[in-house]
Amino acid sequence: MKLLPVRLVLAAGAAEVHLRRRFPRLMWVVVPRSGAPSDEPFAQLQRIEAELAYNELFFGGRAP
């Protein structure tokens, strides 16, 4: 009985692989994907350019 959950997980994984290969467009619609790319790196760059403390830390006291 201990192997039943393992076998179920393996069977589900094999079924997913089969469905992805057989119906790629359907799986593309059904499977959730991450949202839009994060703007965090750009926002951090804007903070560095705008704030003097970040500017001095990033550029080492010299003007950009």
Side-chain angles (χ1 to χ4, degrees):
M1 277 305 206
K2 290 184 180 181
L3 292 178
L4 184 61
V6 174
R7 287 185 181 184
L8 287 176
V9 169
L10 290 175
E16 180 185 0
V17 169
H18 177 72
L19 287 173
R20 283 182 186 271
R21 295 185 83 200
R22 179 87 183 197
F23 306 106
R25 285 188 165 186
L26 178 67
M27 292 303 290
W28 185 80
V29 170
V30 173
V31 175
R33 291 172 302 279
S34 63
S38 173
D39 292 335
E40 179 59 31
F42 184 66
Q44 187 175 4
L45 182 60
Q46 286 179 331
R47 241 188 346 263
I48 290 170
E49 292 175 347
E51 296 182 19
L52 290 176
Y54 283 109
N55 196 331
E56 289 179 8
L57 179 67
F58 187 73
F59 292 112
R62 55 181 164 40

